[in-house]
Structure formats: structure tokens, C-alpha cells
Amino acid sequence: MQAISGNRVPIQKLGKLTLEPIFQRPILESQVKPTYKFLLLIPVLFLPALLTAQAPELSADEPIAYTAEDGLLIATGNAVYRDENTKVEADEIRYNRNLEQIEATGNVRVTREGLRLLTAAMTYDARTKSVSSGYFRAGYPPLYIEGESFSGTLDEIDFTNVTIYFREPVEDAPKLQVANGTWVSGDSVSGKGLKLQALGGIGIPLPGFEYAFGAPTADVDVRLGFENNLGAYGRFKVLYPFSRETAAGGNFDFFTSRGILIGPAVDWRREDGLVRITADTGWIHDHDSDERGSDILGNRIDQDRGFGKFGIQARDESGRMQMNLKTTYVSDSEILRDFRREDYFRNYQPDSYIDFTLQQDDFLVNVFGRRQINDYYGMIERLPELRAEWLPHELGETSLILQANAAALRYRSVEVIPPLMSVLFPSNPLGLPGLPVAVGYGIPEIYESPYTDRLDGSVTLTRPIALPGGPNLVLRAGGRWTSYDRDASGSLPEISEDRLVGELGADLSKSVARTYTIDRPDWNMEKLRHVSRLSLQYRWHPGGDDSLSELPPYDRFSYNGRRPVLDLADLNHTDGLQEWSVARFGWENLLRVAGEDGDYRDFLSFNLYQDLLFSADEGEDNWDALYAEADFNPFPWLGVKWRQKFRTENMEAEANYVSATLRSADLWTLRFQAEYLRDAIEQYEVAGHYRLTENLGLLGYWLYDARLSTWTRQQYGFSRRFGNVWQMEVYIAFNEENAREDDFSVGMRLVWLSF
């Protein structure tokens, strides 16, 4: 044995003594998701990415020895192997030239970005690309893993008696024990002999699994509580990945005053990810007739109640062909509000539709169908609609931009009509009438309009022109033809109408920008860029009238606080459009800031738009509406959004939306939201969380309705973390003006933490 000069040696300098990359496959980012689901699915993701060598090097406290007869390169005394991405430390590291094998022994520590692994000994065979280790401990955030051994190749790793913790193995932390399994690089992980141990209790056996990366994963949701109209209740939803493509389970709920709700749930994805099918169902024999009450149409609700939600998403590899199908069935209008309130408030009028799109270059075809399969809600049914669209594209080299579409539709309106009164939503500056919003007392009725066939087509030509000095001018001309044929029904006669609406307009805009240097390292700001844009838009739509008001609208105008669309080609709610002439003045401002990395981010935007209605009716103010929009995101802990519509004649707010969120890491969070729509909505929402200690926090939620002059919901509670893995939330709630929810309720929910 001879000592090589120095105690730091680049391995390539030893002639044929080259060290091949030990582990060549990096961990895929998509395989590392910090959720509780990983406890069940990804036990050894850290294994394939321990060592990747480029210009590897050995160093040690002692001179590095070399034996020519055995071909050994030996580093002892705080021996370190390092390459571009990895560092291996051990009492001794040996490289066998003849066997092309590395052995690290004695307090072996492997460090790689995001990984820390400890073991007593580890070997790697460069010829077979195989690796093996005895007992090991590893941290791959958020996982902490320890096991008896692992062995295999770079493409496939076998592991034995592995225990997996989510985060660190603190007291009460749940752990998953896996007797044996296999990890296949970039493909899947499988395991047998699984046992989940939670809160120090008895281990719960779990089925073996084979999980393909990106496929459905395990999911658990648990809620417990008490309400007078439900009794003591428990809600349990479980999905478990039984195969590479399928996760299955179901809803298992009990309500001491109502019965048991059960139903299967499935999440299936094709292995290539191009098709996904989901189902979520529930059924209950509700034995409390007094609490069941009546539906929104005044009909008594039957004992057998249930819901079913189904969905299909599909696309081809190029993404040019896509299909989305969604349907929700409910046995009565109150089933979700009684037993699935979170779903009800997200989707209080369940929808059923299919949407298919095929796109080729600038041309696309869309088929859309919507049908109300539940007899309690209103909607515009499309039975179906076929649309062809030519996206904006240049005609040859003429500088003219063509946009066109054509559609054929059979539709009808399904309405829920209260019997006594209605209020009116605000009108808008585009000639559309104010929308009636039906409210009242008594028993509503369902009205179904006759079927209407609608043919529609539009063509728009635009010509951008760059003017001297920087302004941009876009000239616009086009038209829209619509034909209606309504079936006769009852006292309503058959109607056949045609309408041609033209469009002439222009957009004139000028943008200026300037960059400033600022010195605020405490705010991570070194540069400030201001972009300001002034614009004037004009549209004249001759030919519009309200003579078709007897027909149900093809698509309702829904006011969401933003300025209405001007371009005729982009408007769907044109069936009641009057002839109108409107100009819009706009002033847009955007502030962007950059920090040390030089990357700009949005800091503040503030936009104003004023509409001037030349076609105003007699007695109507020409200065129609002023729209204000602002977004403020100065820091990660603060975000503000504001949308407001003013009536110019008196600056009275007609609609307003404000939301603000403040947070201090995970110490506290405060969220505020206000919504206002004149004569319809005025409510204020506040939600907050404050962490008292490492594991204990306070929760609060308040919703105030100014039109009712009452707090419609107040909720107070606390949260308690267990084992750094889940969080228990306990709350009491007070409710007003909710006929199907108790004035007082208590509840508890287990939430799996994810970061």
C-alpha cells in the first residue's frame, strides 16, 4: 500500500480509476408532495437520488492510500466523497478499481439537497448499478424514514421493514410500517404488510397497494359534532388507492336523529393521465319526518334521500381535443344543505353538462349540452349547442385581423318563480335592462318555457395601426346575425324572428413606462417600474332592439363587479340588446417591483373606466357608470382586491367587492370580505386564526348581513395539533335566518396538515 500525495484527490487523475455516477436519477418534483397521503404511498423516494457524480473527489484527514495489487483507493479519518450535488461522509470510504465498487463504513452520512441519510455501511457497484445498505435513517421533508435495509438497482429498489413518519418522529406522530415493497424509478411504488399506527394506539392493518406516481392518492376527512336537527353525528369520507389507477372508498356518516348515510366513491385515472372518472354518492333513510320538512317548492321530502356526483375529464396527448362532463343528482333540494353543507354553499344549484372542444390551429369546434336533471332549480338548458369559431388571425399579409363564429342551439328556460314580489338588479351601460331577481313569500313554482331554436353567427375585422409618437389605433367593424324559431306552447304562439346587429368602433391607446431605483432591502425592493396606459374605446351597434323580449335569453347577464364586455363578438347575452352607442375612457396603472434576484412582481394596480352612453333614453344620464379596480400585493403577508361600480350622476355605489388577507407566517391570519349589490346584497365576512402556542390556536368566523341587520353566522373555536401531522378543530356556532340549520351547534373536524 502506498500513500498518494495529499489528502484530497480528484478521482479522474488516477488514470483508469474513474468513479462512475453512483445515483443518476434525481427525484422528480411531482413525486414530492408534502401531504399526509405520502405516508401511505411514497416510502423510499429518497433512494434513487443519493449520489450523482461529476468530477468526484475524495478527501480525508489522513493521506489517501492506494494499493496497486487490489486496486483500492482508501480514505480514512473523516473521509469525504463529494461531487457536484452530493456529499458522503464516513469513517472510511474505499473505492475498488477492479470491482468498480464503493464501500462507505462507519457513521455514514449522505447529504443532498433536501435529503439527509444516516447508516452504518453502504455499498455501490458501478458495473451493475446496484446499491445496498443495512439499517438506515433518512429525512426527506416532510418525511422521516427508517428501515432495516434497502437494495436494488438505479431503476428498481427493494426495501424491507420500513417505518415512515410524516415530519419528525415526535410523540403521537402517526407512522406507517411497511413489511416489504418495491420502488420503480419514475413509475410506481408498491408495498405489502402495511400497518398504520396513530396516536400511540393499536396498529391498523391496511391493504397492500401499488401506486403509480400522479395517480389517485389516499384521502381521509373526518367530522364530528352535534346539532339539534341532526343529533350527534360523524362524517367519514375515505379514498384508498387499491391499484395503479383506482382509488376507491366512500361516505360513511351517522346521525343519531336521522339515520346512516352511506355511498361508494371512486377516483379512476388512466395510467397516462389522459382520462379521469370520479364518483361521489350518498344515500340515507331519513326517519325524522318533522326535520325533513318540505323542499323549496313546498313538497314534502321523502324518507329515502340521496345524492350522486359524477365527472369525466378526457383529453388527447396534444391537448387539442378535450371533454369535460359533470352531473349532480339530488333526491330533493335540501339533501346537500342538510348533510353536505360545504358542498351546498359551493354549488347550491347543482349543474349537469357536457363540454367537448376540438381545436386545430386557429379553428375550433365546441359542443356544449346542459340539462337540469333536478326538478328544483332554474337554468338555461342548452339541448345542445354546436359552435364553430375562428380565433383572431391575420388574413394573408393584409394586416387585417379576422374573428368569426357560428353556432346552432336548441334551448329553453327553466325558472323558479316566487309568487309575490321581486326586486331588480342594477342595469348596466350596454343597453341591457335590469335583471329581475325573484324573491317573495309563499310556495314558488317551476316554469318551463317553450323550446327555441337559435342560429347565430358573427364576423369581426380589426386593423391595428401604429401612429406616429407611439399611440396605437385599432379600427373595428363587424356584424352579428341571429335567427330564432320558438315552438308554440299553451297560450304562447310560435315565433320566428331574425335580427342583424352591426358593429363599428375604434380603440385608441397610449402606454408609457418608467423605471425607478429604490433602496428598500427590508422590503426586498431595488427597482420600481410604473406602466401607465390611457385608452378610449368606442362601440356603435346599430340594429339592436328589444322586440325579442318575449324570448328567454340564451345566456343571462350576470354582474360580477367587473366592467361589461364591449365587443359584440364576445357577448353572449345579446337577445335583449337594444341599439346602443357607448364610449369608454380608461386609465390603467401598474406598479411592479424587483428585488435582489431582479425578477419583477406585481405590486399595485389601479384602473378607472368611465362609460359615456350616447344612446341613453330620455331622462337617462349619459355619463353612465364609473368602474374602479385595484389589486395590492406589496408583501407575501398582505393582499387586497377591490372592485366598485359607481353611478356617475351622484357617485352612489351600485356594486362593491372588497377582500383583504393579512398573515404572519403561521402565527396569525385575518381575512375580510365585503359584498354589496344595491337592493340585493350587503354582507360582511371576517375570518381569523391565531396560534397561541406551538400546537394550540384560536379560530373565529363572523358573517353579518346588513339587509337583515343580524349576524347570520358566528363561529368560535380552537385548534390543537397532534404529532405535527393533523389538526383537530373544535367549534361552537350561532346561526340566524337559516331555517334548516340550528341556531346553536357544536362540531369537531380532523384536518390532515399539509405544507
Side-chain angles (χ1 to χ4, degrees), residues 49-75:
L50 298 182
L51 304 173
T52 301
Q54 288 187 13
E57 173 182 280
L58 278 177
S59 64
D61 290 345
E62 301 294 332
I64 296 176
Y66 172 65
T67 58
E69 60 276 13
D70 296 327
L72 283 178
L73 187 67
I74 304 172

Side-chain angles (χ1 to χ4, degrees), residues 239-507:
L239 281 174
Y240 187 84
F242 286 93
S243 71
R244 295 167 59 93
E245 298 179 331
T246 305
N251 296 285
F252 309 95
D253 303 355
F254 69 84
F255 307 88
T256 57
S257 297
R258 311 295 287 270
I260 298 176
L261 185 148
I262 59 174
V266 176
D267 188 344
W268 178 87
R269 302 186 200 186
R270 210 170 76 176
E271 190 171 345
D272 56 14
L274 299 180
V275 181
R276 181 182 184 185
I277 300 175
T278 59
D280 184 16
T281 65
W283 173 87
I284 185 173
H285 187 70
D286 190 347
H287 52 71
D288 193 327
S289 60
D290 292 335
E291 293 294 346
R292 287 200 309 272
S294 302
D295 62 19
I296 62 175
L297 300 179
N299 303 316
R300 295 294 295 175
I301 296 176
D302 295 333
Q303 277 190 294
D304 292 320
R305 310 175 66 187
F307 64 87
K309 297 182 290 184
F310 307 92
I312 301 176
Q313 295 175 315
R315 61 179 177 85
D316 65 355
E317 293 183 355
S318 66
R320 287 194 290 263
M321 183 172 65
Q322 300 184 27
M323 191 271 285
N324 188 18
L325 179 148
K326 178 183 178 182
T327 181
T328 300
Y329 164 79
V330 292
S331 61
D332 57 83
S333 62
E334 309 304 314
I335 177 69
L336 295 179
R337 181 151 64 163
D338 286 347
F339 302 111
R340 286 291 184 274
R341 289 201 179 111
E342 295 77 13
D343 290 348
Y344 171 78
F345 286 111
R346 281 194 298 263
N347 185 21
Y348 58 89
Q349 287 190 315
D351 197 1
S352 296
Y353 65 86
I354 182 170
D355 188 1
F356 174 83
T357 301
L358 175 63
Q359 181 173 352
Q360 184 67 40
D361 299 326
D362 296 323
F363 176 77
L364 62 84
V365 175
N366 176 258
V367 180
F368 185 87
R370 170 176 275 129
R371 182 70 181 251
Q372 182 56 275
I373 66 173
N374 304 293
D375 299 328
Y376 319 101
Y377 311 105
M379 68 164 47
I380 302 298
E381 296 184 332
R382 306 187 193 183
L383 307 164
E385 177 185 22
L386 175 63
R387 175 176 293 272
E389 186 170 353
W390 289 264
L391 302 177
H393 61 282
E394 185 178 6
L395 289 177
E397 298 181 358
T398 63
S399 298
L400 291 174
I401 307 299
L402 171 68
Q403 178 182 356
N405 64 69
L409 166 70
R410 184 171 177 82
Y411 74 105
R412 68 171 181 172
S413 173
V414 180
E415 302 275 1
V416 180
I417 307 297
L420 292 184
M421 62 172 290
S422 64
V423 298
L424 197 65
F425 267 69
S427 61
N428 62 87
L430 302 188
L432 293 170
L435 298 179
V437 180
V439 297
Y441 305 93
I443 300 175
E445 296 180 352
I446 288 287
Y447 166 74
E448 297 178 354
S449 74
Y451 288 98
T452 301
D453 295 321
R454 183 180 190 266
L455 297 177
D456 180 68
S458 72
V459 176
T460 303
L461 289 173
T462 57
R463 173 67 162 86
I465 302 173
L467 299 178
N472 293 310
L473 175 66
V474 178
L475 302 178
R476 187 179 188 91
R480 189 163 189 168
W481 169 79
T482 312
S483 173
Y484 304 87
D485 288 290
R486 188 186 71 184
D487 297 343
S489 176
S491 60
L492 297 176
E494 180 179 348
I495 292 180
S496 294
E497 295 279 358
D498 290 275
R499 185 180 64 179
L500 179 62
V501 180
E503 179 177 61
L504 292 174
D507 297 340

Side-chain angles (χ1 to χ4, degrees), residues 463-696:
R463 173 67 162 86
I465 302 173
L467 299 178
N472 293 310
L473 175 66
V474 178
L475 302 178
R476 187 179 188 91
R480 189 163 189 168
W481 169 79
T482 312
S483 173
Y484 304 87
D485 288 290
R486 188 186 71 184
D487 297 343
S489 176
S491 60
L492 297 176
E494 180 179 348
I495 292 180
S496 294
E497 295 279 358
D498 290 275
R499 185 180 64 179
L500 179 62
V501 180
E503 179 177 61
L504 292 174
D507 297 340
L508 180 65
S509 63
K510 168 68 174 177
S511 297
V512 293
R514 187 170 180 179
T515 302
Y516 305 88
T517 300
I518 58 178
D519 185 18
R520 291 305 304 262
D522 52 333
W523 290 359
N524 190 26
M525 295 181 184
E526 293 187 352
K527 292 181 180 180
L528 175 67
R529 183 170 178 80
H530 176 214
V531 180
S532 182
R533 180 176 181 268
L534 290 172
S535 64
L536 171 62
Q537 297 174 276
Y538 174 75
R539 297 292 184 274
W540 176 41
H541 289 181
D545 59 62
D546 56 1
S547 62
L548 303 176
S549 57
E550 297 183 52
L551 293 169
Y554 150 74
D555 198 0
R556 296 192 184 281
F557 174 82
S558 58
Y559 185 76
N560 59 5
R562 297 184 65 90
R563 59 196 184 280
V565 175
L566 289 181
D567 296 336
L568 186 64
D570 297 330
L571 285 169
N572 290 328
H573 43 274
T574 58
D575 304 282
L577 187 66
Q578 303 169 5
E579 179 173 336
W580 53 276
S581 173
V582 63
R584 174 173 294 168
F585 303 94
W587 183 32
E588 300 173 346
N589 293 272
L590 176 62
L591 288 177
R592 308 194 74 206
V593 296
E596 293 180 340
D597 55 9
D599 294 333
Y600 279 93
R601 67 183 187 276
D602 290 349
F603 182 80
L604 170 66
S605 66
F606 178 72
N607 306 325
L608 292 173
Y609 304 93
Q610 171 68 61
D611 286 344
L612 176 60
L613 190 60
F614 296 106
S615 57
D617 295 331
E618 184 176 355
E620 184 180 1
D621 198 321
N622 293 96
W623 293 95
D624 188 84
L626 172 66
Y627 297 90
E629 305 174 355
D631 291 286
F632 186 42
N633 300 280
F635 314 108
W637 49 267
L638 175 62
V640 179
K641 177 178 288 187
W642 175 52
R643 302 287 184 269
Q644 189 143 343
K645 176 184 177 183
F646 299 92
R647 281 297 174 189
T648 308
E649 62 268 23
N650 54 17
M651 289 307 292
E652 178 185 351
E654 187 168 282
N656 180 55
Y657 172 82
V658 178
S659 70
T661 301
L662 294 90
R663 61 174 58 89
S664 176
D666 65 344
L667 178 60
W668 58 266
T669 302
L670 183 65
R671 178 174 58 84
F672 171 79
Q673 181 173 299
E675 294 179 277
Y676 171 78
L677 191 59
R678 191 177 62 186
D679 298 328
I681 300 170
E682 185 177 356
Q683 60 183 17
Y684 305 90
E685 182 181 57
V686 179
H689 169 262
Y690 183 80
R691 182 164 59 85
L692 295 171
T693 67
E694 180 77 19
N695 296 314
L696 186 64

Side-chain angles (χ1 to χ4, degrees), residues 33-214:
K33 297 181 179 179
T35 64
Y36 176 79
K37 304 169 186 177
F38 257 52
L39 288 177
L40 302 178
L41 304 175
I42 319 289
V44 288
L45 288 181
F46 65 96
L47 294 176
L50 298 182
L51 304 173
T52 301
Q54 288 187 13
E57 173 182 280
L58 278 177
S59 64
D61 290 345
E62 301 294 332
I64 296 176
Y66 172 65
T67 58
E69 60 276 13
D70 296 327
L72 283 178
L73 187 67
I74 304 172
T76 58
N78 292 325
V80 177
Y81 164 88
R82 63 175 83 231
D83 64 22
E84 183 180 28
N85 302 308
T86 307
K87 180 180 180 182
V88 179
E89 302 170 271
D91 294 340
E92 182 178 274
I93 297 178
R94 294 181 170 223
Y95 174 70
N96 189 305
R97 175 185 181 182
N98 299 327
L99 299 179
E100 297 184 47
Q101 186 179 87
I102 276 185
E103 294 183 6
T105 58
N107 195 24
V108 180
R109 291 96 66 199
V110 180
T111 304
R112 186 178 173 84
E113 183 177 356
L115 170 70
R116 177 73 168 171
L117 181 140
L118 305 176
T119 185
M122 184 178 68
T123 63
Y124 169 73
D125 192 311
R127 290 178 301 182
T128 62
K129 304 297 187 293
S130 62
V131 63
S132 63
S133 168
Y135 176 81
F136 66 93
R137 291 177 294 153
Y140 200 112
L143 304 180
Y144 178 90
I145 308 163
E146 59 183 11
E148 183 177 292
S149 65
F150 67 82
S151 63
T153 68
L154 295 176
D155 296 322
E156 187 172 305
I157 294 287
D158 297 322
F159 51 89
T160 305
N161 293 335
V162 169
T163 302
I164 307 165
Y165 299 86
F166 188 66
R167 295 192 178 86
E168 298 178 4
V170 298
E171 184 179 1
D172 294 332
K175 57 185 178 182
L176 181 70
Q177 297 173 338
V178 184
N180 55 75
T182 301
W183 181 90
V184 180
S185 175
D187 181 67
S188 64
V189 61
S190 59
K192 297 180 180 178
L194 276 65
K195 185 180 292 185
L196 178 64
Q197 187 170 339
L199 291 174
I202 299 175
I204 303 173
L206 296 175
F209 69 90
E210 182 180 6
Y211 174 73
F213 301 137

